[in-house]
Amino acid sequence: MWSRGVRRHGGGGSRPRGCAMSADRTVRLKPHEVALLRGGPRAAVTVAVVALHLRGAVEAGRPGRLRTSGASTEAAGQAPPPLPPLAEAVYAALGRPAGPADVLDHAGVRSELAGLRAGLKSAGFLRALPPHRTRAARRLLDALDAEHPLPTSRRGLSTSGILMAVALHGGPALHVLVPRFALRAGLVARAEVTEDRGFHSRSPRGGGTGGVAYSCGGGGGGSD
């Protein structure tokens, strides 16, 4: 189940997906939280958009625009994991077609992002002044990055694996995993795709080593 904010769990037992474990605790972050730490608000919203797209709830409209598909955010068949509040806010922001920047500026989306930032600050991953990732955040991102290298295809990836890859790797992951949707929706620049060159992240993570001894993976599938 995706959480709002950051969850901490006691050590011991098997390690859940999307987590990193130190000697004394396990810290679990969901993909949109990882994205916010790595690349800021736009990266978090991008993960939320991709989550909705994988559910069939959001599609690309006119070039550079997003729109709801008319499908429910609830998947057919077995009850899916509930969407995080940020994804629900993004869906609400698409009452009419909009570009990614418009979605990011929507009041409900801004409110959810503020709540996520507050949770990450409370957990010790963000500093308020000056706004910056803490050493603990850099160590956690390094551990997750090592556990979730940039995929070369979607084969074998679950929805959670796709979202974690997008959270950690941004544009390069979009280029591999949902290239047509990302291009049409304005999540990546057309020149970057047509030139087939490397993408740059919007906010470099910086270094950070040590501290986190183990990290946890995620698996699975969806469609572009």
Side-chain angles (χ1 to χ4, degrees):
M1 181 173 180
W2 286 12
S3 66
R4 175 171 181 168
V6 177
R7 292 184 177 182
R8 297 190 182 200
H9 304 269
S14 62
R15 298 190 300 276
R17 293 178 179 177
C19 69
M21 188 163 68
S22 67
D24 59 348
R25 73 181 182 212
T26 301
V27 179
R28 177 183 294 185
L29 293 182
K30 299 305 180 183
H32 57 287
E33 296 166 338
V34 172
L36 185 60
L37 268 185
R38 178 197 62 80
R42 184 178 178 115
V45 167
T46 295
V47 168
V49 166
V50 173
L52 290 164
H53 172 64
L54 294 177
R55 292 252 182 134
V58 164
E59 61 191 14
R62 298 199 313 271
R65 310 285 282 182
L66 294 157
R67 66 185 183 191
T68 59
S69 65
S72 170
T73 57
E74 295 297 322
Q78 293 184 340
L83 287 165
L86 177 61
E88 295 286 8
V90 167
Y91 187 80
L94 292 171
R96 61 180 61 185
D102 301 316
V103 173
L104 190 60
D105 196 45
H106 187 270
V109 173
R110 292 200 310 269
S111 176
E112 292 299 334
L113 288 168
L116 287 172
R117 280 193 296 266
L120 291 169
K121 287 177 184 175
S122 177
F125 293 125
L126 289 177
R127 285 197 295 267
L129 294 172
H132 203 275
R133 286 180 295 268
T134 63
R135 181 178 299 178
R138 292 193 296 272
R139 289 173 174 171
L140 180 61
L141 287 171
D142 285 341
L144 289 172
D145 192 52
E147 182 67 25
H148 299 269
L150 178 65
T152 58
S153 75
R154 288 179 63 161
R155 186 174 303 170
L157 279 179
S158 65
T159 295
S160 61
I162 291 171
L163 296 179
M164 186 60 77
V166 172
L168 287 166
H169 304 289
L174 292 170
H175 179 46
V176 171
L177 302 172
V178 285
R180 293 188 298 276
F181 171 71
L183 176 60
R184 292 195 302 263
L187 300 180
V188 295
R190 180 173 297 273
E192 289 176 321
V193 174
T194 56
E195 293 174 14
D196 194 29
R197 59 184 172 84
F199 292 81
H200 58 276
S201 62
R202 298 182 63 83
S203 177
R205 265 210 339 259
T209 58
V212 179
Y214 304 94
S215 64
C216 308
S223 64
D224 183 11

